Amino acid sequence: MMKRWLVVLAVFGLIAAACTAGEGESEVPEGLGETGAAGEEQEPVTIEMWIPFSADHEVAGVQQVFDRFEQEYPWITVDVRKGVASDQKVISAIRAGTPPDAVMSWSLDDLPAFCDTGAWQDLTPYTEATDFDASVFPPSVARYTGFGGKQCAFPFLTDALGLYYNTDILEEAGYTEPPETMSELTQMAKDLTVFNADGSIERAGFVPWFGYYMMTPPELAITFGADFYNDDGTSAIGSDPDWVELFQWQKDLVDFYGADNLRKFVAGQGDEWGEASQDFQNGRIAMAIDGEWRTAFIENGTPGLNYATAPFPVPDEKADTYGIGRVGGTIIGIPRGSAHPEEAWLLVSFMATDTDSLVAAANAIGNVPTTLPALESPELDLPPQFQTFLDIFGNPGSHYKDMAIIGSTDQNLLGDFAERWQAGDVADLQAGLQAVAQQINDEIEAAS
């Protein structure tokens, strides 16, 4: 956790250094709304685009979009640099004066700092100059593409998290339906678990260990209804009782397995991004919390796996909220210092709104499309299990966690506490959560 914390500090330090000499409004190219139309005579231009995708099927899926863009704007060539999953590399390039023309990121929590410092340009002047139609985006998208009144990103596909379950394993145990409440998940996890003769875990019904794939406090927070922040901007982690319920549920299931037992089991987990080695795909676990992208990995790596998906269970007293989940995914924008901002805007706006491109990429990558026309397109061709994630994304209660100027620092502090909690090193849960809230408030005050 310390290494991760230092990386966060480094990213924010670089953001500040990159932008102190150049803060201000986006410098929209003169005449943006009047030039650049497809079919006009244009000088050839090559623009550089950095993307975090690295898996072969994902890179190929995104490349379709760039190919379509180049057909629409034949004078523009997109030079794609794949596998840039670190925002620190982007900020370093901005600081050095050699940023890409456009950029893609998975790090939603860095967005407030990008917007606040101008590391990513405010796109509002661009949208106003070109009559950009933002009504194509569902309301939930606005929660993770802007901050502080600045629209410094647009979405390019998104993620939704739900429950994956092995139908063969459930049927063997007499279950025909997935769990919908936390008490049902707990009981089924116990019933589906198989222990070895020495007491170690051969197969886990569900792994409650924080840090195991997508099993993290922020992912569970949405279904538990736990808020990160109060209306006044201070941390709610120490005062919202839903956090206590979340951590207590998790620890009770950890105690069933035994912390040492889970550590050993988790140590043997398969590669999350391997085509067939991830634990749900190789049969080590019966149920898992995961994103919609897993459907594509299953199709490519373990097509014979019998599985189904469902929304992640909710607390018993919140049964009427079943169907919600965490949403939020890839964002795209124009970094400060882009050498070709007009062409970069054409690319960003195309990627964000072109229905055919979004549908093609969603079909190839297995991500949720992020415009209403794409969501309703009859050309969407995804496995039946994918419908769960379209439904979660469309649920009005689904959203991404509230963000703050401190970026992912709140998640890192909470994650550090979660590690100590599940290890049995926290005697007083409420006091521990209040201490985390105070740390977060101190960071917000310092950032302000």
Side-chain angles (χ1 to χ4, degrees), residues 227-238:
D227 293 324
F228 265 80
Y229 293 99
N230 297 305
D231 292 340
D232 62 3
T234 58
S235 174
I237 290 175

Side-chain angles (χ1 to χ4, degrees), residues 200-212:
S200 61
I201 305 168
E202 176 182 342
R203 183 187 71 208
F206 179 85
V207 176
W209 195 255
F210 287 133
Y212 178 75

Side-chain angles (χ1 to χ4, degrees), residues 124-344:
T124 303
Y126 289 86
T127 63
E128 292 176 346
T130 57
D131 295 323
F132 182 86
D133 182 13
S135 67
V136 297
F137 303 122
S140 60
V141 168
R143 295 187 63 149
Y144 65 86
T145 56
F147 184 82
K150 295 181 179 180
Q151 185 75 46
C152 54
F154 282 126
F156 174 72
L157 307 183
T158 194
D159 299 322
L161 269 72
L163 182 76
Y164 283 73
Y165 59 100
N166 186 305
T167 54
D168 289 340
I169 295 176
L170 262 67
E171 288 175 5
E172 289 174 3
Y175 289 104
T176 58
E177 299 293 335
E180 295 187 4
T181 64
M182 302 313 295
S183 63
E184 291 175 352
L185 175 60
T186 298
Q187 187 59 55
M188 289 178 65
K190 294 177 180 180
D191 293 343
L192 300 174
T193 296
V194 177
F195 292 98
N196 292 309
D198 63 359
S200 61
I201 305 168
E202 176 182 342
R203 183 187 71 208
F206 179 85
V207 176
W209 195 255
F210 287 133
Y212 178 75
Y213 297 130
M214 296 304 297
M215 178 64 185
T216 70
E219 312 304 349
L220 296 185
I222 305 303
T223 53
F224 271 87
D227 293 324
F228 265 80
Y229 293 99
N230 297 305
D231 292 340
D232 62 3
T234 58
S235 174
I237 290 175
S239 56
D240 186 341
D242 291 324
W243 285 109
V244 174
E245 183 177 11
L246 185 161
F247 277 97
Q248 193 58 65
W249 168 82
Q250 183 261 352
K251 186 59 162 55
D252 288 344
L253 194 51
V254 167
D255 289 343
F256 164 75
Y257 287 104
D260 289 340
N261 231 2
L262 281 172
R263 282 195 195 92
K264 294 176 183 177
F265 185 83
V266 169
Q269 70 186 63
D271 179 11
E272 183 172 13
W273 308 116
E275 292 290 6
S277 57
Q278 191 258 8
D279 281 2
F280 179 75
Q281 292 182 238
N282 66 28
R284 291 186 83 218
I285 54 178
M287 299 182 292
I289 180 172
D290 210 340
E292 82 295 334
W293 61 82
R294 185 60 49 196
T295 60
F297 279 85
I298 292 173
E299 184 175 353
N300 291 330
T302 51
L305 181 67
N306 293 323
Y307 78 102
T309 61
F312 197 76
V314 298
D316 292 49
E317 70 278 9
K318 292 184 172 71
D320 60 343
T321 67
Y322 180 68
I324 66 172
R326 196 275 274 171
V327 299
T330 306
I331 51 175
I332 48 179
I334 304 174
R336 178 164 294 283
S338 169
H340 304 288
E342 179 174 350
E343 290 78 11

Side-chain angles (χ1 to χ4, degrees), residues 377-431:
S377 172
E379 300 303 316
L380 274 178
D381 184 19
L382 295 158
Q385 296 92 336
F386 199 91
Q387 185 61 45
T388 290
F389 304 101
L390 295 176
D391 293 341
I392 291 172
F393 183 61
N395 189 301
S398 298
H399 59 88
Y400 190 71
K401 66 173 284 291
D402 293 328
M403 297 187 290
I405 193 62
I406 59 174
S408 57
T409 299
D410 52 8
Q411 295 191 55
N412 291 338
L413 291 172
L414 186 61
D416 180 64
F417 169 79
E419 290 182 6
R420 291 183 287 111
W421 163 252
Q422 66 188 5
D425 297 333
V426 176
D428 188 328
L429 175 57
Q430 183 64 62

